[in-house]
Amino acid sequence: MDKRLSSLSEAVTDIQDGATVMIGGFGGSGAPIELIHALIDRYLETGSPKGLTVINNNAGNGHVGIAAMIEQGMVAKMICSFPRSADPTVFTQAYLAGEIELELVPQGTLAERIRAGGAGIPGFFTPTSVGTDLAEGKPVQQFDGRDYVMERWLKADHALIKAELGDSLGNLTYRMAARNFSPLMAMAAAKTVVQVTKAVEPGAIDPEVIVTPGIFVDALVEVANPAQEEELNRAGAHHP
Amino acid sequence: MDKRLSSLSEAVTDIQDGATVMIGGFGGSGAPIELIHALIDRYLETGSPKGLTVINNNAGNGHVGIAAMIEQGMVAKMICSFPRSADPTVFTQAYLAGEIELELVPQGTLAERIRAGGAGIPGFFTPTSVGTDLAEGKPVQQFDGRDYVMERWLKADHALIKAELGDSLGNLTYRMAARNFSPLMAMAAAKTVVQVTKAVEPGAIDPEVIVTPGIFVDALVEVANPAQEEELNRAGAHHP
Amino acid sequence: MNQKLSNAQIAWRAAQDIEDGAYVNLGIGFPEMVARFQPPGREAIFHTENGVLGFGRAPEPGQEDWDLINAGKKAITLKPGTAFFHHADSFAMVRGGHLDVAILGAYEVAETGDLANWSTGPKGVPAVGGAMDLVHGAKRVAVITDHVTKKGQPKLVERCTLPLTGVGCVTRVYSSFAVVDIEGGRFVLREKLPSLSMEELQNATGAKLHVEGAVGDLICPEELADA
Amino acid sequence: MNQKLSNAQIAWRAAQDIEDGAYVNLGIGFPEMVARFQPPGREAIFHTENGVLGFGRAPEPGQEDWDLINAGKKAITLKPGTAFFHHADSFAMVRGGHLDVAILGAYEVAETGDLANWSTGPKGVPAVGGAMDLVHGAKRVAVITDHVTKKGQPKLVERCTLPLTGVGCVTRVYSSFAVVDIEGGRFVLREKLPSLSMEELQNATGAKLHVEGAVGDLICPEELADA
């Protein structure tokens, strides 16, 4: 069994219109730019996929990555904690024009909901957001005299993430703070596709340092020298 | 700030009568034998601590470690998933004589309850045990047409665990399958004390491979060449 | 009716249904034997709930490292691609539906798919381990078992009498006499020992065996008969 | 009443209350400044919710590695003992009560301890980040803020008018005029600028300031006045 794919286009070919897609990254760290851009390229060629629900901490920055997906009109809804950034004009304009839906989720609740999706936990209780607008309509229950909000798991049809090393079984490591949501999203998506900076053979990664075991990964493609979103934006890049 | 202690006796000195103590390990792998034996030695000298609630996957094996704690009469209650083993006579006799209480928890639920304790999640839903005796008295709720049982977090006053490397800030790595419950228990206890096989300076462990960040650790003590419970039992060891 | 498959033959038969690249958890004890019989050209990836994925075979006696064990506390070995993780991640794999197959032992299996395999009743010390998690987590839950108890009583029954491990969770039983699927609350016979008549097999079974289409011959390697 | 502490002075004052070895999360923006003013001999360990504990100072311009950033998306550096982890573990630290202190900015703080700091109302794009998790996780939640808005309106109020971040969560406010504790649903004044009279301070505050025992002089390093 070898989970390696030979091209980026192959990696994003089965994402359907209306799919829910988790995309790794916190700001630019961990953003799988090449996978996202391959998906945009497919959309520009074929008109699909569109009407996507995208789950990410943010809502894109500048004119690359998720911002470029929104700019092309591929995204119907964002689920995120912080849709502001240094240059969030693409999301902001679409949102204020009513062209994109927003589900705002506190960051820790977002992380835990994704983990719950991957771990088979359909609901859990958190103190986060109790008594605030973001708890509206959610069940509240008391434990040991304190109020907690019940939150539901988040799952996705696909996850697109970026990792550092990946072996052919799908075992992954990450690079510094680029880890963020990616190990959770790998657990929570029906199909997880990874761009790895270096593809290696099984055994090349010490079993003690694997962060995402291969069971959570469906396919991976090597992208050596990946673009860093922050650097692209500082250079004023656009995609396409 | 340096979390290193100089002696095992110092490491177990503040565990009180009636305390709840999480003890790492799955069978013999990861069992912090030297910490447990230091606690037994304190009990034999001072009569304390007794009436303990111990949380571990098992209920001891042979006449060392947790089995020796039970044999000395220090344990009022075990919370575990699998109190059978190759030589579980100590627990079995105490249990059948009504001298020790047992809370039996499915293994995955036990792990998740401990993680929930560490993560500030007072309750969560799991499909595990639905329709069985172990779900008796627990709330059942339906999500998407399927029944789930609500389980509560588990916390402890103390955790005693074993790790491989530990720096003075409390950052830890583990050794192979000896990892098991220990990273979770470190999160869920008010005070976590670790026996590390090798104590190192901050920076000696690659930040990418730290399994337990130091925030979850209160104190650590170096025990070079720790005993392995399985090997002790195969040699017929007793403590004291 | 003294002819029956050996445990090794039952394990061999169960192994034939495991696909290349499948993620598999084998219950402690008898089910562990399934790992020995992977068909040539296929490689399953074995999960043990104490935090190891993709481990290798048992070590040679004397070569054990007791920090490297499986859920049955038996020594295992590394192989290229093995990964370690903690117990919460391990049961995220189980509960989250990431395992393709779990193969477990049974005291009783009901035609409803209910399984009893953790407690023989109020006497003695109860122990459940990860069985209750596995039956609700893996995509496919199969049982390997003798068809009858040592006293000759059926283990495939209408309703379990012992405490349940899970409700409606088992979809296939590999027994010493037959391969039986559980579909729509019924036992459906897929294969049986050629030497057993339908009547003999039904008499050894505690609930009706339905036949839909052909019943295959359950034939296992002879050399495993004494294993 | 044009005398007030600079942001740097407020941050300096807040830093004086952070103990050696404390685990601290600083909100994005102004609160990040607190890290610059650790008293000599003390070393706090800073947590950023995007998965880094024990990180170092900002890198020199041009030395940034954009995979190594804080929650405000600013570049940070490693130091001995830094650890990386994923977002669920990061918020386990937050929600699980493992942080000693969180220091956040505020639009409004009420005498009840309620905090509003994430939304200025229905206009524009809302963004919450980790603030709602932090206010219910850290053992101590403190606010640093100007005492009044740019228009001179009090930010310390009886009841918040803006959407809440958390209910009854703040226990101390470091403002440009004073240090105020929140105890039993009341503002209790601990320190104030010596140049301000009690009346002036009360007039700039939207709820009653209680005095219990001595009120200290709020004195910060002069050299930070223009920072």
Side-chain angles (χ1 to χ4, degrees), chain B residues 26-30 57-58 81-84 91-92 95-96 102 104-109 111-112 115 126-134 146 162 175-181 183-184 211 228 230-231 234, chain C residues 28 49-52 64-73 78 84-89 91-92 95 107 118-120 122-137 163-167:
Chain B
F26 179 91
S29 66
N57 186 64
N58 305 99
S81 91
F82 207 83
R84 285 188 210 132
F91 174 81
T92 302
Y95 179 74
L96 296 178
L102 170 65
L104 192 72
V105 183
Q107 196 173 142
T109 299
E112 191 67 14
R115 180 194 175 270
T126 172
T128 300
S129 90
V130 166
T132 76
D133 294 354
L134 296 189
R146 188 174 174 192
K162 178 182 179 179
R175 183 167 184 271
M176 303 199 288
R179 188 182 303 194
N180 55 69
F181 286 89
L184 312 173
V211 175
Q228 221 291 348
E230 181 76 22
E231 286 168 7
R234 283 170 184 253
Chain C
I28 68 179
E49 53 256 47
N50 54 315
V52 193
E64 298 90 351
D65 181 327
W66 295 108
D67 283 348
L68 184 56
I69 59 176
N70 67 13
K73 279 91 173 180
L78 298 178
F84 298 123
F85 36 86
H86 61 49
H87 249 84
D89 281 350
F91 280 89
R95 204 191 302 103
Y107 299 146
W118 72 280
S119 168
T120 51
K123 280 185 197 165
V125 176
V128 65
M132 284 192 186
D133 304 279
L134 284 164
V135 297
H136 286 300
L164 294 185
T165 306
V167 176

Side-chain angles (χ1 to χ4, degrees), chain B:
Chain B
M1 189 188 46
D2 189 335
K3 297 182 179 180
R4 285 173 293 190
L5 303 177
S6 53
S7 74
L8 282 160
S9 59
E10 192 184 353
V12 298
T13 195
D14 61 350
I15 300 178
Q16 306 291 314
D17 287 357
T20 297
V21 185
M22 292 176 174
I23 300 182
F26 179 91
S29 66
I33 290 293
E34 284 76 8
L35 280 174
I36 299 171
H37 289 180
L39 191 63
I40 293 173
D41 293 347
R42 194 190 126 203
Y43 172 74
L44 291 173
E45 278 170 34
T46 68
S48 251
K50 59 184 181 300
L52 300 174
T53 294
V54 171
I55 301 171
N56 178 269
N57 186 64
N58 305 99
N61 196 22
H63 301 274
V64 296
I66 291 173
M69 288 177 71
I70 296 170
E71 200 158 28
Q72 295 299 333
M74 299 167 68
V75 184
K77 179 179 178 180
M78 285 297 316
I79 301 178
C80 67
S81 91
F82 207 83
R84 285 188 210 132
S85 69
D87 180 8
T89 46
V90 167
F91 174 81
T92 302
Q93 285 172 12
Y95 179 74
L96 296 178
E99 291 162 5
I100 194 166
E101 190 184 344
L102 170 65
E103 179 178 342
L104 192 72
V105 183
Q107 196 173 142
T109 299
L110 182 63
E112 191 67 14
R113 288 179 65 193
I114 297 169
R115 180 194 175 270
I121 304 287
F124 62 89
F125 292 92
T126 172
T128 300
S129 90
V130 166
T132 76
D133 294 354
L134 296 189
E136 253 175 45
K138 293 176 183 166
V140 172
Q141 188 166 329
Q142 212 170 72
F143 295 93
D144 310 327
R146 188 174 174 192
D147 282 342
Y148 295 84
V149 174
M150 194 183 85
E151 296 280 357
R152 294 298 311 277
W153 62 16
L154 262 181
K155 297 191 182 203
D157 301 305
H158 300 268
L160 302 179
I161 65 172
K162 178 182 179 179
E164 182 67 7
L165 301 180
D167 70 23
S168 56
L169 296 169
N171 293 307
L172 306 178
T173 67
Y174 300 88
R175 183 167 184 271
M176 303 199 288
R179 188 182 303 194
N180 55 69
F181 286 89
S182 298
L184 312 173
M185 291 176 169
M187 297 165 66
K191 180 164 182 188
T192 294
V193 175
V194 189
Q195 66 169 78
V196 301
T197 303
K198 190 169 166 57
V200 297
E201 294 302 316
I205 311 176
D206 179 348
E208 300 284 5
V209 313
I210 290 168
V211 175
T212 293
I215 193 171
F216 297 129
V217 171
D218 297 280
L220 54 109
V221 57
E222 186 178 77
V223 179
N225 304 310
Q228 221 291 348
E229 186 186 282
E230 181 76 22
E231 286 168 7
L232 290 179
N233 281 326
R234 283 170 184 253
H238 280 65
H239 187 84

Side-chain angles (χ1 to χ4, degrees), chain D residues 105-117 141 143 145 147 154-173 180-188 205-210:
Chain D
Y107 299 146
E108 296 174 322
V109 182
E111 62 185 356
T112 55
D114 295 359
L115 173 66
N117 80 345
V141 177
V143 155
T145 180
H147 202 88
K155 298 183 76 167
L156 284 73
V157 295
E158 288 189 347
R159 297 294 178 271
C160 294
T161 59
L162 293 169
L164 293 184
T165 306
V167 175
C169 51
V170 178
T171 56
R172 176 164 274 202
V173 180
V180 176
D181 281 345
I182 294 171
E183 290 179 10
R186 303 174 313 150
F187 286 130
V188 180
T205 307
K208 176 149 180 64
L209 284 172
H210 295 262

Side-chain angles (χ1 to χ4, degrees), chain A residues 26-27 29 57-58 81-84 91-92 95 102 104-109 111-112 126-134 146 175-181 183-184 228 230-231 234, chain D residues 28 49-52 64-73 78 84-88 91 95 107 118-120 123-130 132-133 136-137 163-167:
Chain A
F26 179 91
S29 67
N57 187 65
N58 305 99
S81 91
F82 207 83
R84 286 189 210 131
F91 173 81
T92 301
Y95 179 74
L102 170 66
L104 192 72
V105 183
Q107 195 173 142
T109 299
E112 191 68 12
T126 172
T128 300
S129 90
V130 166
T132 76
D133 294 353
L134 296 190
R146 188 174 174 192
R175 184 167 183 274
M176 303 198 287
R179 189 183 302 194
N180 57 68
F181 286 89
L184 312 172
Q228 222 290 349
E230 182 77 21
E231 287 169 6
R234 283 169 183 253
Chain D
I28 67 178
E49 54 256 47
N50 54 314
V52 193
E64 298 91 350
D65 181 327
W66 295 107
D67 284 347
L68 184 56
I69 59 175
N70 67 12
K73 277 92 173 179
L78 298 177
F84 298 123
F85 36 86
H86 62 51
H87 249 84
F91 280 89
R95 203 190 302 104
Y107 299 146
W118 72 280
S119 168
T120 51
K123 280 184 197 166
V125 176
V128 65
M132 285 192 185
D133 304 279
H136 286 301
L164 293 184
T165 306
V167 175

